[in-house]
């Protein structure tokens, strides 16, 4: 429901509620209604309004979860890099940091850095992006 429609409905219900209270108050003052009945009617009205407000504010909300999927990297057999270095290169191609790679491979960050330096030396590059590009060019990985 749009906000303007909700405001209009609330205004109409409020006006109706005030009218009913005034009607029952007039009958109460004229002696046609007892005090218990008057209080019970007011309680029922407020209970109904409270339930309506409760339902209108606690409607189910849609929750959208965005799950990022890792890019698929295919590692081909090669004679340049060791198995661990190839695995490291694949994780770099997925965009993982040194810490994330260390956690995945159950090694320290220093070990990851050492393997990474070995990869750089074997591929004759100085950066991660260069290593990935060179590995794609010579056919070690394909994404």
């Amino acid at each position: 429901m749009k906000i303007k429609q909700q405001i209009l409905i609330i205004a109409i219900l409020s006006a109706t509620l005030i009218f009913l209270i005034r009607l029952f108050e007039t009958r109460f003052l004229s002696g046609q209604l007892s005090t218990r009945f008057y209080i019970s009617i007011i309680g029922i009205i407020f209970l109904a309004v409270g339930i309506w407000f409760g339902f209108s504010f606690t409607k189910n909300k849609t929750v959208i979860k965005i799950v990022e999927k890792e890019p698929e990297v295919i590692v081909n057999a090669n004679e340049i890099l060791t198995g661990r270095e190839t695995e490291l290169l694949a994780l770099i191609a997925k965009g993982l940091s040194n810490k994330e790679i260390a956690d995945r491979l159950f090694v320290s960050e220093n070990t990851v850095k050492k393997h990474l330096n070995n990869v750089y030396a074997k591929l004759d590059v100085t950066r991660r992006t260069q290593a990935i590009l060179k590995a794609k060019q010579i056919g070690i990985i394909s994404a």
Side-chain angles (χ1 to χ4, degrees):
M1 223 187 262
K2 294 181 182 176
I3 293 176
K4 290 182 181 181
Q5 290 175 338
Q6 287 180 341
I7 292 173
L8 182 64
I9 290 172
I10 291 170
I12 291 171
L13 286 175
S14 298
T16 305
L17 178 64
I18 291 171
F19 172 76
L20 289 174
I21 289 173
R22 294 290 178 180
L23 177 69
F24 288 126
E25 184 180 22
T26 305
R27 290 199 175 176
F28 171 72
L29 292 175
S30 66
Q32 295 176 353
L33 295 175
S34 68
T35 307
R36 285 184 180 176
F37 185 76
Y38 180 67
I39 292 172
S40 299
I41 293 297
I42 291 174
I44 290 170
I45 291 170
F46 277 102
L47 177 67
V49 170
I51 290 172
W52 181 78
F53 274 119
F55 281 128
S56 66
F57 289 121
T58 58
K59 290 182 180 175
N60 292 338
K61 295 181 174 113
T62 305
V63 178
I64 298 173
K65 291 184 181 180
I66 298 173
V67 179
E68 291 185 28
K69 184 179 175 184
E70 288 185 1
E72 187 176 330
V73 177
I74 300 168
V75 179
N76 301 318
N78 65 80
E79 296 179 6
I80 300 171
L81 303 175
T82 65
R84 188 58 109 172
E85 292 168 347
T86 307
E87 190 176 5
L88 178 89
L89 191 61
L91 293 174
I92 290 170
K94 289 183 180 182
L96 299 178
S97 67
N98 286 351
K99 177 153 180 40
E100 292 170 328
I101 293 169
D103 291 342
R104 287 250 181 120
L105 299 178
F106 303 107
V107 296
S108 71
E109 282 187 66
N110 288 333
T111 305
V112 170
K113 289 176 186 177
K114 183 176 184 283
H115 286 307
L116 195 54
N117 285 329
N118 291 340
V119 169
Y120 290 167
K122 289 180 181 180
L123 295 178
D124 192 31
V125 295
T126 56
R127 294 192 187 122
R128 287 173 178 250
T129 53
Q130 291 173 343
I132 294 167
L133 184 62
K134 181 102 178 227
K136 285 181 181 179
Q137 287 173 351
I138 60 178
I140 295 175
I141 61 173
S142 55

